[in-house]
Amino acid sequence: INAEYMGSGNYAAWKANAIGSNNAAAVSMLKQEWKEDLSTNDAILLALKVLSKTMDSSTLSSEKLEFSTLTLGPGNVPKFHILTSDELKTYLTQAKEIREKEEKEKERKKEGGS
């Protein structure tokens, strides 16, 4: 078990976690879909998927969200980046396309297709 302290100072015994309202649903989704080898891009898309299903908002927008990443650069030097509004809009567009594709696939399976 990998134990970590989240930004709130709360102790979490897993690598992907959520706090706040609807955190149980968010953690459940993260446990199902988070993988050890997720790229930063895929991790952001997963976070957007979780937020879209757990936030009390009908649509996600770059005006309502702020994202940042913390990665290790060359020489294991930590690199912190706050996504710009344009970067976040690009991710939101990608997330919407993925969501629509998943919904079509579910509908196809529901109708008995493969």
Side-chain angles (χ1 to χ4, degrees), residues 28-98:
S28 176
M29 288 179 69
L30 289 168
K31 284 187 176 186
Q32 288 177 12
E33 300 196 32
W34 187 86
K35 295 173 183 67
E36 184 74 33
D37 61 349
L38 274 181
S39 67
T40 301
N41 182 61
D42 289 340
I44 291 170
L45 291 171
L46 175 57
L48 287 170
K49 179 178 183 177
V50 170
L51 287 171
S52 73
K53 295 189 180 209
T54 58
M55 278 183 62
D56 294 331
S57 178
S58 58
T59 54
L60 300 180
S61 70
S62 60
E63 293 79 31
K64 295 179 184 176
L65 300 171
E66 184 174 89
F67 268 67
S68 62
T69 60
L70 180 61
T71 57
L72 289 177
N76 285 333
V77 176
K79 180 182 174 189
F80 179 76
H81 174 68
I82 298 174
L83 275 67
T84 65
S85 179
D86 286 342
E87 288 172 320
L88 192 49
K89 285 177 185 175
T90 299
Y91 281 110
L92 288 165
T93 299
Q94 289 177 21
K96 182 180 178 185
E97 291 168 357
I98 292 168

Side-chain angles (χ1 to χ4, degrees), residues 96-109:
K96 182 180 178 185
E97 291 168 357
I98 292 168
R99 186 171 55 253
E100 289 170 353
K101 181 179 176 185
E102 288 175 350
E103 288 170 2
K104 285 179 185 176
E105 185 64 28
K106 274 187 191 177
E107 193 60 37
R108 206 176 6 237
K109 286 182 180 180

Side-chain angles (χ1 to χ4, degrees), residues 13-33:
W14 201 65
K15 293 185 178 192
N17 213 334
I19 58 174
S21 64
N22 296 328
N23 70 319
V27 168
S28 176
M29 288 179 69
L30 289 168
K31 284 187 176 186
Q32 288 177 12
E33 300 196 32

